[in-house]
Amino acid sequence: MSFSCKDTEKKSETKTTSTAAQLYYNGDILTMDSEEPVYAEALVAEEGKIVFVGDKAKAEENYADAKKIDLNGNTLLPGFIDPHSHFGMVSNTMGQVDLNSPPVGDVKNIADVLKKMKAYKTENNIADGEWIFGWGYDESQLDEKRHLNKTEIDSVLPNNPVYLVHTSGHMGVANSMALEKMNVSAATKNPEGGSIERMPNSQEPAGLVQETAMYPFVGNMLKILESKQAEFFPATQDKYAKNGITTAQDGMTDRNAIEFFQSQADSGKLEMDLIALPGFSELDKNLSDSTLVWKTYKNGFKLQGTKIIADGSPQGKTAYFTEPFLTEVPGCESDCRGFPNLSQEALNELFLKAYEADNQLFIHSNGDASIDMVISAHENACKKLEQPLDKDRRTIVIHSQFVRPDQLETYKKYNMEPSFFTNHAYFWGDVHVENLGEERAFFLSPIASAEKLGLKYTNHSDATVTPIDPIFTVWTAVNRVSRSGKVIGPDQRATPYQALKAITSHAAYEFFEEGQKGSLKVGKLADMVVLDKNPLKVEPMKIKEIEVLETIKEGKTIYKK
């Protein structure tokens, strides 16, 4: 049930690996095994592990019978490790209407949303009374610059309950029938850590439900889509593999999903490693369940630690800040600083229980006020347990988007690590400047500052919030260019090598896997990716054009273009 902080990863003996030795040569073999770029002439993989890294002549001498694989000038890297995404949510979107704005989708205004929703019902022969779901709408990118309301959805789908998931995943809009089915009415009070937007001059719900107020809607959606999990699983896995990912993550996993993922792994359907973070609402149940084994792979699937949601979305204006937003916030009249999803007392209790059980914590925290709460909870738990503040727990503060410089220093002091989200610089950098001002917006996901402190930061997509695409994540870290072409925080631009560390060596460290993954080193798993160009040798703005040619998991090709 508990796990040690020592590097004790176990790989399943039943997982299929390639047994024939393979000698890779004639390309940029970037090992990611040092603080500065180091290349090797050749690499040999055998029985799923790396057995040689070095001179080509010596490789040929020592492994004369190895199958030679000519890289043809392409680049070989460690397989990408997903620091944070939602594998299950990516899968679930395959049963929903895509409402993303460009460049991800084609929705430009509310009329486009309504047209897509109406067409979806017709094209899929959905009967009256059945639920219809959409995902990815972003009011900041719509022409109207606002959320939809229930009456607008009612105008095209009056006879179906409808729920539309915001791109942040932290709010959504329901129509009248959906609100009625979920028992949300004028008499319904805002839950702690959540908000129900009301119609003007009324207590009638308008349709928008934020943070904890959306939980019943999301829970209902996941329950309905659960029957489609097995159908969508192969396509979801392929999506990750096509992007060079050899270790994926599901960043909020309930007990039913844990059972499903393990069943897929046990039946041999899991081609990559999948790490799950069970949710904090089931912490007590999970810690008392002797059938759950933490931090140990079984056929490629493992439970790593517990995910806590401490605040909301900065672009959705529900992230918790010490200073207020500069623009109007729905449902708030003054001193609008967002809000925490949990009280300090509740957060303290979760930290104490997890730390006492040696359960690794991953805390969603965007705003600096929320990060203050996370640091306070860490200090409280360590004090009560009489344990060092810098014990090697590797508590991960997911997003840490608007972390302050003093908080970064505390991370270093306490052995905590940030998992940044530089894709925000592109997708919502302009919005953050408007909502927060340049000083705060420009310090978004500060990789350069974290690097100077010696933090082992990671950088993620948070899919479905932004697309699964590690190469694009590298591009946003290096360039920090917004949709309008503005550089969001030029001083925080990462080097390409730093950006690669965030999805290879540092990502392995995040999961206590640095002994098995993250670099091309003898003894580690032969998890690798082949790119058509070297991110270190192309123009920074062209990094996003680099293509994944092949993804290799323990010596076995799981994707090839």
Side-chain angles (χ1 to χ4, degrees):
M1 184 170 66
S2 64
F3 61 83
S4 166
C5 284
K6 293 182 180 178
D7 190 6
T8 56
E9 290 294 338
K10 298 177 182 177
K11 297 302 298 178
S12 168
E13 295 178 358
T14 61
K15 192 159 185 178
T16 302
T17 59
S18 176
T19 56
Q22 302 161 309
L23 194 160
Y24 294 85
Y25 70 101
N26 189 30
D28 282 356
I29 301 175
L30 183 55
T31 67
M32 302 304 300
D33 192 32
S34 63
E35 288 304 306
E36 298 296 331
V38 173
Y39 294 90
E41 281 188 341
L43 178 145
V44 180
E46 187 174 26
E47 295 186 347
K49 290 191 175 182
I50 297 169
V51 295
F52 179 90
V53 180
D55 296 336
K56 179 174 178 284
K58 192 171 182 180
E60 290 175 328
E61 178 184 346
N62 293 348
Y63 297 91
D65 296 330
K67 178 183 178 182
K68 291 186 178 181
I69 300 176
D70 188 344
L71 291 168
N72 293 309
N74 295 312
T75 298
L76 185 70
L77 282 165
F80 297 143
I81 299 170
D82 171 21
H84 184 67
S85 76
H86 301 270
F87 188 97
M89 287 177 63
V90 172
S91 186
N92 284 334
T93 61
M94 297 176 187
Q96 302 176 53
V97 188
D98 184 351
L99 302 177
N100 281 276
S101 296
V104 180
D106 58 6
V107 168
K108 296 180 180 179
N109 49 48
I110 289 174
D112 287 345
V113 173
L114 299 178
K115 182 179 178 180
K116 276 181 169 275
M117 297 305 298
K118 184 177 182 180
Y120 186 81
K121 171 174 172 138
T122 302
E123 291 166 4
N124 292 275
N125 297 313
I126 297 174
D128 287 353
E130 290 187 16
W131 279 85
I132 299 176
F133 303 107
W135 73 283
Y137 89 88
D138 183 354
E139 88 291 352
S140 72
Q141 301 305 314
L142 298 178
D143 292 342
E144 296 84 355
K145 302 295 181 185
R146 65 170 176 82
H147 295 277
L148 291 84
N149 60 50
K150 64 181 181 181
T151 57
E152 289 169 323
I153 305 173
D154 290 347
S155 70
V156 292
L157 292 172
N159 302 316
N160 294 87
V162 178
Y163 182 67
L164 311 181
V165 182
H166 187 261
T167 185
S168 68
H170 284 260
M171 59 195 72
V173 177
N175 71 345
S176 296
M177 187 176 288
L179 290 165
E180 183 179 350
K181 282 185 173 290
M182 301 310 294
N183 298 312
V184 176
S185 67
T188 307
K189 295 182 179 180
N190 288 344
E192 183 177 356
S195 174
I196 302 168
E197 188 179 14
R198 314 289 172 166
M199 297 295 280
N201 304 313
S202 168
Q203 285 300 302
E204 282 295 322
L208 178 65
V209 285
Q210 299 177 307
E211 302 302 337
T212 57
M214 73 166 189
Y215 286 3
F217 292 87
V218 174
N220 173 67
M221 179 180 72
L222 294 178
K223 185 176 180 181
I224 291 170
L225 294 175
E226 192 175 302
S227 62
K228 301 271 191 180
Q229 282 182 315
E231 177 185 341
F232 297 146
F233 187 85
T236 308
Q237 191 167 217
D238 287 347
K239 193 167 192 173
Y240 278 74
K242 287 177 181 177
N243 282 284
I245 294 171
T246 51
T247 299
Q249 188 198 105
D250 187 59
M252 192 72 167
T253 317
D254 63 26
R255 290 173 65 83
N256 289 335
I258 290 171
E259 184 178 348
F260 169 72
F261 288 142
Q262 190 63 69
S263 71
Q264 296 297 105
D266 292 346
S267 62
K269 295 178 182 176
L270 186 57
E271 295 184 337
M272 60 186 58
D273 285 341
L274 177 59
I275 294 171
L277 307 181
F280 68 95
S281 64
E282 297 177 312
L283 178 61
D284 288 335
K285 190 178 292 185
N286 289 336
L287 291 180
S288 63
D289 187 345
S290 60
T291 67
L292 298 184
V293 179
W294 298 87
K295 207 168 179 286
T296 300
Y297 280 107
K298 182 183 176 187
N299 296 323
F301 176 70
K302 74 167 175 174
L303 307 181
Q304 183 68 24
T306 298
K307 169 78 175 292
I308 297 174
I309 300 177
D311 75 342
S313 153
Q315 73 272 33
K317 302 182 186 179
T318 56
Y320 185 37
F321 288 92
T322 54
E323 299 293 331
F325 288 96
L326 304 179
T327 54
E328 183 181 353
V329 178
C332 177
E333 294 182 0
S334 64
D335 192 32
C336 302
R337 299 182 292 117
F339 47 86
N341 278 27
L342 296 166
S343 67
Q344 187 68 63
E345 183 181 12
L347 194 60
N348 287 352
E349 185 178 355
L350 288 168
F351 266 70
L352 186 59
K353 286 179 180 178
Y355 279 13
E356 191 170 25
D358 249 351
N359 190 267
Q360 189 180 5
L361 285 180
F362 297 76
I363 311 96
H364 167 113
S365 190
N366 273 304
D368 66 322
S370 172
I371 294 170
D372 279 337
M373 293 177 66
V374 169
I375 290 171
S376 179
H378 172 87
E379 292 171 337
N380 176 74
C382 291
K383 180 179 179 181
K384 288 195 172 182
L385 294 171
E386 298 182 343
Q387 293 179 349
L389 287 163
D390 62 351
K391 181 178 177 180
D392 189 14
R393 301 180 180 280
R394 301 186 198 178
T395 296
I396 308 298
V397 188
I398 297 172
H399 307 325
S400 288
Q401 289 210 73
F402 297 98
V403 62
R404 302 189 306 266
D406 64 292
Q407 292 171 328
L408 279 181
E409 292 176 4
T410 301
Y411 284 176
K412 180 64 177 177
K413 182 180 177 182
Y414 290 171
N415 242 329
M416 303 168 77
E417 300 290 350
S419 184
F420 292 132
F421 192 3
T422 61
N423 283 2
H424 260 254
Y426 174 75
F427 284 101
W428 299 286
D430 299 320
V431 172
H432 294 326
V433 170
E434 183 181 353
N435 291 339
L436 302 169
E438 278 197 0
E439 183 177 354
R440 281 189 288 179
F442 277 21
F443 205 67
L444 176 152
S445 293
I447 285 182
S449 291
E451 174 75 20
K452 288 177 182 177
L453 288 170
L455 288 163
K456 287 184 168 56
Y457 52 85
T458 60
N459 193 23
H460 58 256
S461 70
D462 198 25
T464 60
V465 179
T466 67
I468 287 289
D469 188 346
I471 295 296
F472 186 78
T473 301
V474 170
W475 181 84
T476 61
V478 171
N479 295 287
R480 297 176 68 96
V481 173
S482 72
R483 294 177 193 253
S484 71
K486 186 182 184 75
V487 178
I488 307 299
D491 293 343
Q492 293 304 323
R493 286 179 291 196
T495 68
Y497 192 70
Q498 290 165 358
L500 285 172
K501 286 196 295 184
I503 54 173
T504 56
S505 57
H506 285 185
Y509 179 87
E510 176 180 319
F511 300 122
F512 289 90
E513 294 189 354
E514 65 269 27
Q516 293 78 36
K517 301 176 182 176
S519 64
L520 303 180
K521 185 177 181 179
V522 172
K524 292 193 176 185
L525 297 176
D527 289 2
M528 302 177 290
V529 60
V530 181
L531 307 179
D532 70 338
K533 295 180 183 66
N534 186 340
L536 276 57
K537 295 183 178 179
V538 302
E539 290 293 327
M541 284 297 288
K542 292 186 177 181
I543 289 174
K544 64 180 179 179
E545 299 171 14
I546 294 172
E547 295 185 358
V548 173
L549 300 179
E550 185 175 6
T551 305
I552 302 155
K553 174 62 185 161
E554 295 180 38
K556 179 183 177 182
T557 296
I558 60 173
Y559 166 74
K560 193 164 188 175
K561 187 175 178 181

